[in-house]
Amino acid sequence: MCAVAVQELPVPGQQQFGELFPLALGPAEAVDLNAAIDYARQSSDELLGALSRHGAILFRGFPIGTAEEFDAFLSAFGMESFTYEESLSNAVRVNKTDKVFTANEAPPDVSIFLHHEMAQTPLFPSRLFFCCLIAPERDGATPLCRSDVLLEQLQHAEPEFVRQCEELGVRYSNVMPGNDDPTSGQGRSWRSTLGVESVAEAEARLAALGYRHEWLPGEVLRATTPVLPAVRALLDGRRVFFNQLIAAFRGWQDTRNDPRKSICFGDDSPIDEAAMNTAIALSDELSFDLNWQAGDVALVDNYLVMHGRRPFTGKRSVLASLVADDGTRLVA
């Protein structure tokens, strides 16, 4: 039995979809780091079961204040890590430990819109850990949105759009610089993204992944994914709007990228803007804003919940860690 007494905590704005969203947990009395790690280790199976029902768990009041302490806490869950280096993420990030890195190096005034992590690639994590070391002076919440609930509402509002998403799938196009561009929310270089050094190596990796590509002046690469699902099914029967359509449509814009050219259906036909605006409006209505407190850790089911980042004022330090896709909950 776990020696740490943990209780459910009320959090302003919590939602109810059969289960609370998110579930918030904290120690009933002050604990040290070793006790917090023991709690995570001994309760991991129970917590992961709760995660699959609730979609996200906020751990608040545990003594976690450094990247190393965050690493020790998440490692206690015993799940396989998915490193930043092996990912195809667009975001510029900085590693703090082997498992932990900054959530995104984009400037504070840049919005990062709702998405499932790396759903615009063939390689994605199953779960995400976030940890707030420094809470922002103002704003800077992480919005969370239940993707199964969004799809249910979208099915009623835009049934033809949902049908096209299911039957055609989607493609994403991203224009990547030769070197990291930290001024952009999707400024990771093609060298870092693909884990290569040369044009020849990049072309070989793209071919292996099934991507189409085009080289632009100044060592800039435009890469287009193979057809990827926009709707997926979980083993428990729930269907989810698992993609990066909202983020790409709203936010893939910098000196290289134009959101209007970033997404299309799998047959290269355009995606209806009115339908996308409906999806955005519904997701905004459904979003829960996680307003960070220093020491907070959030565990998010990447199959079930989208996340983002609100602009903020002042210093904000939120770290992240990814859990490998375990192949046990996704049907398609």
Side-chain angles (χ1 to χ4, degrees):
M1 177 181 290
C2 181
V4 177
V6 172
Q7 59 190 355
E8 289 191 20
L9 305 175
V11 177
Q14 266 175 312
Q15 301 170 349
Q16 185 87 41
F17 302 117
E19 304 272 6
L20 279 174
F21 176 70
L23 175 64
L25 301 173
E29 56 186 30
V31 297
D32 61 19
L33 180 63
N34 288 332
I37 292 170
D38 286 343
Y39 162 68
R41 181 181 300 112
Q42 296 173 33
S43 306
S44 60
D45 289 344
E46 178 184 349
L47 290 169
L48 293 180
L51 179 68
S52 69
R53 299 191 305 272
H54 293 267
I57 300 175
L58 171 64
F59 299 96
R60 175 164 283 174
F62 291 93
I64 298 171
T66 68
E68 291 74 19
E69 290 170 350
F70 175 39
D71 189 315
F73 182 75
L74 69 90
S75 295
F77 283 79
M79 294 183 287
E80 182 182 354
S81 179
F82 182 20
T83 66
Y84 175 55
E85 287 79 5
E86 66 186 314
S87 78
L88 297 171
S89 170
N90 300 3
V92 176
R93 293 165 169 164
V94 177
N95 273 98
K96 298 297 184 178
T97 73
D98 288 344
K99 296 180 181 178
V100 171
F101 41 80
T102 56
N104 196 303
E105 289 295 293
D109 61 342
V110 173
S111 293
I112 299 171
F113 295 105
L114 289 169
H115 61 284
H116 287 277
E117 189 68 22
M118 300 180 205
Q120 84 284 18
T121 81
L123 309 171
F124 46 82
S126 63
R127 303 174 182 95
L128 321 170
F129 282 96
F130 295 103
C131 177
C132 178
L133 300 186
I134 301 174
E137 182 180 306
R138 190 170 67 230
D139 304 323
T142 291
L144 302 173
C145 178
R146 281 279 296 265
S147 192
D148 56 337
V149 181
L150 172 60
L151 184 62
E152 288 177 7
Q153 296 193 7
L154 198 53
Q155 180 75 61
H156 291 293
E158 295 284 352
E160 176 60 17
F161 171 62
V162 173
R163 183 194 68 78
Q164 290 176 300
C165 285
E166 290 183 305
E167 294 183 3
L168 300 176
V170 291
R171 294 183 187 269
Y172 304 87
S173 294
N174 184 35
V175 182
M176 295 176 277
N179 298 296
D180 285 352
D181 175 8
T183 67
S184 169
Q186 59 277 351
R188 191 181 184 190
S189 71
W190 56 262
R191 288 183 171 87
S192 176
T193 301
L194 299 173
V196 299
E197 293 295 335
S198 68
V199 167
E201 289 175 329
E203 291 180 339
R205 182 84 197 280
L206 290 166
L209 292 167
Y211 279 60
R212 303 188 307 221
H213 73 277
E214 175 188 5
W215 291 103
L216 305 174
E219 277 200 335
V220 171
L221 172 66
R222 178 182 176 86
T224 300
T225 68
V227 179
L228 298 173
V231 174
R232 289 183 179 268
L234 305 183
L235 284 175
D236 62 11
R238 286 178 291 182
R239 294 161 62 245
V240 289
F241 194 59
F242 186 92
N243 55 63
Q244 284 227 7
L245 291 177
I246 291 173
F249 185 80
R250 297 186 79 177
W252 284 14
Q253 184 168 1
D254 57 17
T255 57
R256 295 168 300 277
N257 287 280
D258 179 349
R260 294 169 298 178
K261 300 177 181 178
S262 294
I263 54 174
C264 65
F265 285 120
D267 63 355
D268 294 322
S269 61
I271 293 176
D272 180 62
E273 292 191 10
M276 281 303 309
N277 285 327
T278 299
I280 289 166
L282 290 173
S283 68
D284 285 344
E285 290 174 8
L286 289 168
S287 290
F288 165 83
D289 270 7
L290 173 50
N291 291 297
W292 292 105
Q293 296 181 14
D296 282 352
V297 172
L299 175 56
V300 177
D301 186 334
N302 191 45
Y303 298 146
L304 190 58
V305 174
M306 293 188 287
H307 71 280
R309 189 196 76 180
R310 308 286 190 201
F312 61 93
T313 300
K315 190 172 182 181
R316 176 186 189 270
S317 177
V318 174
L319 304 180
S321 184
L322 309 179
V323 177
D325 176 24
D326 56 16
T328 62
R329 291 185 53 232
L330 273 179
V331 175

